[in-house]
Amino acid sequence: MKKDSSNLFDIFNYTVQILFTLMCIYPFYYILIYSFSDPQQALKGVFLVPRGLSIVNYTTIFKLDNMLHSFGISVLRTVIGTALTIACCSWFAYAVTKNELYLRKYIYRFLVITMYFNAGLIPWYITMKELGLKNNFLLYILPGAVVAYYVVLLKTFIEQLPQALEESAMIDGAGHFKIFTNVIFPLSMPIVATIAVFASVGQWNTWYDNYFLVSSDNLQTLQLILYNYLTDAQRIVASSNMQDLNRGLASKISPDSIRITITMVVTLPVMLVYPFLQRYFVKGLMLGAIKG
């Protein structure tokens, strides 16, 4: 009887989990198949497969002004910004675990305080402007070089590593920098990968720094460009359809197809990168969050 009850519970549990998983996945799948559907046929409804398979939505999007250049700027800020964040946060976290660092406890506490207090938008704008970061690519990478939350996770993880590893390296004549690069950092890969996910997604999705401090078209990021086009989808459709009519072609795209395709363009890179780091994500987050 107990075995039957256990089997019934397992069936119920797996059914609920599968349904919940499908509920989470389907919105992304819906956006994907809608973006690859013929815009006019998609207006009739899309469910499991694209209606009238077509890439006209994507060709329309990537023909928009400054699109490819903005995509390159976003990729650069994501790659360089993530690498800089990992390097700075890792070294900072390692430094505040060392008793030799003068006033290390106060430095760490001051950093943690920044997680709870924010000066606000206007002081942030003035600070960035006075630092010469307006219309400067460094605006995208320098302000996020050290993030308090990432340092907390890294510090907690590093403190759980066996002290004997560092002592052995010191006996062999290694200094702090060599110990960090050859011993600590390689062993911290699970939490580093976790932070890489957070930092890269944050860099890819951020647009407000671009909105407030960048007026040069050469530094526009993909997110802000697509945000502007997202709110102006009706004009894009009218312009594209007018071009089709001038060439003797039928109108094809619709505002909904443009908005959904823009959403897909923004989310697809994250969806492609995330699975490769997923195996480190849970382990790193749990280990970094447990106080030793």
Side-chain angles (χ1 to χ4, degrees), residues 33-46 49-57 252:
I33 61 175
Y34 197 109
S35 67
F36 280 104
S37 297
D38 179 89
Q40 298 304 315
Q41 295 189 40
L43 293 175
K44 301 175 183 177
V46 177
V49 295
R51 294 186 64 128
L53 188 64
S54 173
I55 60 170
V56 66
N57 294 323
K252 290 184 176 181

Side-chain angles (χ1 to χ4, degrees), residues 245-263:
L245 290 173
N246 291 336
R247 293 196 299 263
L249 302 174
S251 300
K252 290 184 176 181
I253 62 174
S254 66
D256 287 342
S257 65
I258 289 296
R259 293 189 180 98
I260 286 180
T261 305
I262 288 174
T263 304

Side-chain angles (χ1 to χ4, degrees), residues 9-242:
F9 176 77
D10 289 341
I11 293 171
F12 174 78
N13 189 32
Y14 282 121
T15 301
V16 171
Q17 294 296 330
I18 290 171
L19 290 175
F20 181 75
T21 302
L22 291 175
M23 288 172 61
C24 294
I25 293 175
Y26 184 74
F28 296 100
Y29 178 72
Y30 176 83
I31 293 173
L32 177 65
I33 61 175
Y34 197 109
S35 67
F36 280 104
S37 297
D38 179 89
Q40 298 304 315
Q41 295 189 40
L43 293 175
K44 301 175 183 177
V46 177
F47 182 55
L48 290 177
V49 295
R51 294 186 64 128
L53 188 64
S54 173
I55 60 170
V56 66
N57 294 323
Y58 289 94
T59 57
T60 302
I61 291 296
F62 283 100
K63 284 180 182 178
L64 297 174
D65 295 338
N66 214 25
M67 182 63 65
L68 293 179
H69 181 77
S70 298
F71 181 82
I73 293 294
S74 288
V75 170
L76 277 178
R77 79 168 291 179
T78 301
V79 173
I80 298 174
T82 301
L84 184 66
T85 297
I86 290 172
C88 293
C89 289
S90 299
W91 179 249
F92 192 108
Y94 175 70
V96 294
T97 63
K98 303 294 104 184
N99 293 325
E100 299 91 322
L101 179 65
Y102 185 64
L103 297 176
R104 71 179 184 92
K105 290 185 179 180
Y106 294 99
I107 293 173
Y108 181 67
R109 288 169 184 170
F110 182 79
L111 178 74
V112 172
I113 287 173
T114 64
M115 296 174 62
Y116 303 99
F117 296 96
N118 191 309
L121 179 61
I122 295 176
W124 170 82
Y125 176 84
I126 295 173
T127 301
M128 295 297 105
K129 185 178 179 181
E130 291 300 317
L131 290 174
L133 295 179
K134 188 172 182 179
N135 288 320
N136 191 330
F137 180 79
L138 294 178
L139 167 70
Y140 297 144
I141 58 176
L142 287 185
V146 176
V147 180
Y149 178 60
Y150 302 161
V151 173
V152 171
L153 292 179
L154 282 160
K155 177 180 178 292
T156 308
F157 187 95
I158 291 171
E159 287 176 338
Q160 296 176 56
L161 297 176
Q163 188 66 29
L165 294 173
E166 292 189 53
E167 294 173 354
S168 298
M170 286 182 178
I171 292 173
D172 292 335
H176 284 302
F177 184 76
K178 193 168 185 179
I179 291 172
F180 172 73
T181 55
N182 293 355
V183 179
I184 301 301
F185 190 78
L187 292 175
S188 302
M189 274 300 121
I191 191 64
V192 168
T194 303
I195 290 171
V197 173
F198 286 148
S200 59
V201 172
Q203 285 283 5
W204 180 258
N205 288 332
T206 300
W207 60 271
Y208 66 88
D209 48 6
N210 187 179
Y211 182 79
F212 288 109
L213 288 165
V214 176
S215 57
S216 172
D217 290 340
N218 292 329
L219 289 176
Q220 295 292 324
T221 60
L222 180 67
Q223 282 63 36
L224 184 61
I225 290 288
L226 292 180
Y227 172 77
N228 292 332
Y229 285 138
L230 187 67
T231 58
D232 205 16
Q234 192 68 47
R235 183 191 61 80
I236 296 171
V237 170
S239 176
S240 178
N241 289 342
M242 181 60 67

